[in-house]
Amino acid sequence: ILKDKEKLARYFPKFSVEDIGAQLNVHPHTVYRYLSTNGFREPYKSTFEQEIVYYLQSLGITNILTNKRTIIGKELDIFLPDYNLAIEYNGVYWHHYKIPHITKSYHMDKFLLCESKNIELFTIFSDSWESKKDIWKDKIKSKLKLCTEKVYARNTSIVELTAADTRDILDNNHIQGYCTTQYCYGLKTNNDIVAVMTFSKKRAGIGKDRGEGSFELVRFVSTCTVVGRSEEHTSELQSPS
């Protein structure tokens, strides 16, 4: 199947590289190799960067620009002009400040350049993509407004969560995972928690301009789209944040 271009076309890009590997009982890198051999994949480009492009294509996204320097004056790995969304995939080894051209402000500078042009930038490091790939895919899908699961806010209520409940939800849905905070709240519908917010009291050196009695929002994530408003909840949340 991998050697036959027509047969391989029945699998790709309908299925992800990992899914194809699992179905054919071969390593994903073997699949990548034959994708290159059969002309499905551009050689000499980051394998995982192309994996993100494949995922976007599987969602039906066709207007995808790659490796463009004309958008902000610096190279953007992936840019979706229809959504004003840029995605940077950074191998950990080649994107730390000990590499000569990577200054300590390198990634922030690119973020600010994107922001100045009203472009949202997702910066994905290789270790984060490999360990939390499903969360990143959901995050991208949410940004593209392709989440199909919706909950109406009028059917929800705000509940206080235990640390254990919060840890489970954040570790499975938030890129940064769980961290200790003083206050944890969830948005509940039926018996399901569909969104979580955690807060801490004012911390030293953070938010010095805030007044007394203020709190810091530390984590927020939702597992679906929450639509509308209620007495307890006013907003539209996309999954995951």
Side-chain angles (χ1 to χ4, degrees):
I1 291 173
L2 292 175
K3 292 178 180 179
D4 189 311
K5 186 173 183 178
E6 289 186 7
K7 291 181 179 179
L8 184 55
R10 299 172 192 168
Y11 285 80
F12 183 84
K14 180 180 180 181
F15 299 104
S16 71
V17 172
E18 287 86 355
D19 288 340
I20 297 172
Q23 290 182 51
L24 302 181
N25 198 30
V26 298
H27 195 279
H29 284 272
T30 302
V31 180
Y32 277 118
R33 178 158 55 88
Y34 281 100
L35 288 174
S36 296
T37 300
N38 286 299
F40 290 99
R41 173 178 177 263
E42 294 182 61
Y44 312 115
K45 282 194 175 184
S46 163
T47 294
F48 294 106
E49 182 183 322
Q50 289 195 44
E51 184 180 356
I52 297 173
V53 172
Y54 296 153
Y55 175 65
L56 292 169
Q57 291 172 338
S58 75
L59 295 175
I61 307 302
T62 57
N63 190 9
I64 304 172
L65 305 181
T66 59
N67 307 112
K68 295 295 183 182
R69 294 181 176 272
T70 56
I71 311 299
I72 61 170
K74 293 181 180 291
E75 185 177 53
L76 291 175
D77 291 337
I78 300 168
F79 178 58
L80 308 180
D82 296 338
Y83 299 89
N84 265 12
L85 175 66
I87 302 173
E88 283 287 291
Y89 181 86
N90 298 327
V92 172
Y93 179 80
W94 297 108
H95 286 83
H96 60 80
Y97 67 89
K98 291 183 180 180
I99 301 297
H101 73 283
I102 304 294
T103 64
K104 289 187 176 181
S105 65
Y106 176 88
H107 298 103
M108 178 57 75
D109 291 343
K110 187 169 285 190
F111 174 84
L112 294 174
L113 281 170
C114 284
E115 189 177 54
S116 70
K117 294 184 177 295
N118 198 32
I119 297 171
E120 185 169 356
L121 175 64
F122 285 174
T123 300
I124 306 176
F125 283 88
S126 56
D127 57 342
S128 179
W129 176 253
E130 292 177 39
S131 64
K132 297 195 173 185
K133 187 178 300 183
D134 288 341
I135 297 178
W136 272 113
K137 286 183 175 181
D138 283 345
K139 186 177 176 71
I140 292 169
K141 189 175 181 180
S142 173
K143 178 60 182 175
L144 302 178
K145 299 188 184 300
L146 295 175
C147 294
T148 56
E149 184 179 356
K150 293 184 179 181
V151 170
Y152 291 96
R154 63 177 177 272
N155 298 325
T156 66
S157 58
I158 295 173
V159 295
E160 191 167 355
L161 299 177
T162 65
D165 288 337
T166 307
R167 180 186 296 275
D168 182 63
I169 294 169
L170 290 178
D171 281 346
N172 286 291
N173 294 281
H174 198 286
I175 292 297
Q176 293 176 287
Y178 173 80
C179 71
T180 302
T181 53
Q182 283 97 344
Y183 307 101
C184 307
Y185 297 98
L187 193 66
K188 187 175 184 180
T189 178
N190 298 322
N191 292 318
D192 297 323
I193 302 297
V194 296
V196 168
M197 276 186 172
T198 67
F199 299 86
S200 72
K201 293 181 179 178
K202 186 174 180 180
R203 294 186 289 182
I206 298 178
K208 294 180 180 180
D209 57 335
R210 296 183 307 192
E212 293 298 322
S214 62
F215 298 85
E216 178 188 351
L217 173 62
V218 179
R219 294 282 190 273
F220 166 72
V221 71
S222 60
T223 61
C224 64
T225 301
V226 182
V227 183
R229 56 187 298 171
S230 70
E231 292 182 0
E232 290 186 282
H233 179 69
T234 305
S235 70
E236 180 171 321
L237 312 177
Q238 288 289 332
S239 161
S241 299

